[in-house]
Amino acid sequence: MKGLRNVFVGLLSALSVQAFQDARAADPWPARPLKMIVPFAAGGPTDVLARSLAMELGGRLGQPVVVENRAGGGSNIGYDAMARAPADGYTILLGTATVVTNPSLYKKLSFDPLKDFTPIALIGTTPIFVWVRNDYPAQTLPDLVRLAKDKPGAINYGSSGPGTVAHLASLLFQDRTRTVMTHVGYKGSAQALNDMLGGVFSVQFDAPQPMAAQYRAGNLRALATLSSQRSSAFPDIPSIKEFGYEGIDASALFGLYTAAGVSPEIVGKLQQTLQTVLASPTFKETMAQQFVETPVQPVEGQAFHAWLKNEMDVWHAVIAKSGISVN
């Protein structure tokens, strides 16, 4: 009799556990806080954008979105963490241009962004600009191209570092304009900018965020954006397309991702929520402060996947031709 009672109690316990699990599974998503992986250190431009985005998303989803900085390895540590996350929608990733450049820069990666991530949507882009010191003789982009062609390799230029999107943009620029310049790589934009202002070199390829203060102070000029259209933050600066150069659209990008295999319902809710965030005045102000431009039309799901694939192909060609590698 006692044994039968133990069996009965055991069955009740198992049924209770199963009922609890079924109830948890039936809870509407999200039923607990989300984690947002940021593959860079706290305090930088990407982190600033991430924290504003996390707050806005959390307020609309009804659950906190906690930022987790996973810096290192050229952002690959953060991407690897995203690739290993459960397919439950509770881990999301704010990725940058390294999502599309790292697969060609690194010989061995533990993840494939196109297979291991579910692309939610493109958040925005920031074009790379061609900057010159104010006393530099080139007044226009054609002037710089002419100087570079007159003395191949004689012009030294800086960037935020080998393999960064700014450096890759400079390689794409030289390829399309048929010029040759000499790269001086740094570990970050600030160090490069200091040396530029100090006279070590006179040309720098970079996003506007680290350059804007010196530009507004009159110490720098911008000859062009390396994109097919002008920047809304700097509407007076021409795009390189205006000078007749096609196929140059070099931008830092920000996109939101989750794990492969996350249900379409959860992805759809993330997409819908993100679009309301992108339309909010508070987040628009954060984007403007970081010089990030929102796409005119949403780039989501399969369209975002195709966009990423195209970007990978473009940068793979540039990287393969240059022969650069970071490991």
Side-chain angles (χ1 to χ4, degrees):
M1 187 69 179
K2 184 177 180 181
L4 184 60
R5 185 170 64 250
N6 288 341
V7 171
F8 181 68
V9 170
L11 285 171
L12 280 178
S13 177
L15 288 171
S16 297
V17 170
Q18 184 62 48
F20 175 76
Q21 291 175 342
D22 289 344
R24 285 291 302 271
D27 284 343
W29 180 95
R32 54 186 170 86
L34 281 72
K35 175 173 66 178
M36 178 188 290
I37 295 174
V38 178
F40 296 94
T46 305
D47 181 65
V48 170
L49 188 67
R51 292 181 186 278
S52 177
L53 177 61
M55 184 176 297
E56 294 279 347
L57 284 173
R60 288 164 173 78
L61 291 171
Q63 290 287 346
V65 178
V66 181
V67 172
E68 182 176 293
N69 297 94
R70 300 292 296 270
S75 64
N76 289 327
I77 290 176
Y79 295 152
D80 178 74
M82 181 70 259
R84 296 173 183 272
D88 55 12
Y90 284 97
T91 304
I92 55 179
L93 164 75
L94 178 64
T96 66
T98 51
V99 166
V100 295
T101 59
N102 282 8
S104 296
L105 284 171
Y106 291 83
K107 294 177 181 178
K108 292 183 180 180
L109 290 179
S110 60
F111 61 90
D112 180 339
L114 295 179
K115 294 179 179 179
D116 297 329
F117 301 165
T118 294
I120 297 168
L122 176 67
I123 293 171
T125 58
T126 303
I128 301 301
F129 288 65
V130 184
W131 306 91
V132 297
R133 209 171 53 240
N134 198 39
D135 59 357
Y136 192 62
Q139 296 298 311
T140 65
L141 190 76
D143 290 343
L144 176 63
V145 172
R146 185 175 61 255
L147 289 172
K149 287 184 174 180
D150 286 346
K151 295 182 178 180
I155 296 176
N156 293 332
Y157 72 93
S159 80
S160 52
T164 61
V165 67
H167 177 219
L168 298 180
S170 75
L171 298 177
L172 181 60
F173 170 82
Q174 292 173 82
D175 180 67
R176 300 298 164 82
T177 59
R178 299 182 180 179
T179 55
V180 177
M181 298 187 290
T182 301
H183 180 237
V184 184
Y186 288 84
K187 292 183 178 180
S189 299
Q191 185 182 11
L193 176 59
N194 286 339
D195 276 6
M196 182 188 187
L197 295 173
V200 176
F201 54 87
S202 302
V203 182
Q204 185 166 332
F205 290 76
D206 219 315
Q209 200 274 343
M211 317 293 282
Q214 293 297 332
Y215 170 76
R216 289 166 178 159
N219 297 319
L220 301 178
R221 288 182 285 112
L223 301 183
T225 67
L226 298 186
S227 59
S228 58
Q229 60 187 15
R230 296 192 180 203
S231 165
S232 60
F234 302 92
D236 294 335
I237 300 171
S239 72
I240 194 168
K241 186 177 181 180
E242 294 174 48
F243 297 105
Y245 296 105
E246 300 284 346
I248 301 180
D249 227 327
S251 299
L253 69 91
F254 299 92
L256 197 65
Y257 310 82
T258 189
V262 171
S263 74
E265 291 77 17
I266 291 176
V267 172
K269 188 168 184 178
L270 281 167
Q271 289 168 339
Q272 183 180 23
T273 307
L274 178 61
Q275 294 309 320
T276 65
V277 171
L278 294 178
S280 73
T282 303
F283 192 67
K284 280 184 176 181
E285 178 62 24
T286 300
M287 298 268 278
Q289 291 171 356
Q290 300 300 319
F291 304 100
V292 181
E293 304 197 21
T294 307
V296 176
Q297 296 293 331
V299 182
E300 301 176 328
Q302 288 303 311
F304 187 28
H305 186 277
W307 190 86
L308 292 168
K309 177 63 168 60
N310 180 71
E311 287 289 294
M312 283 186 179
D313 291 343
V314 169
W315 294 123
H316 177 77
V318 171
I319 292 165
K321 188 170 184 178
S322 68
I324 64 173
S325 175
V326 294
N327 67 351

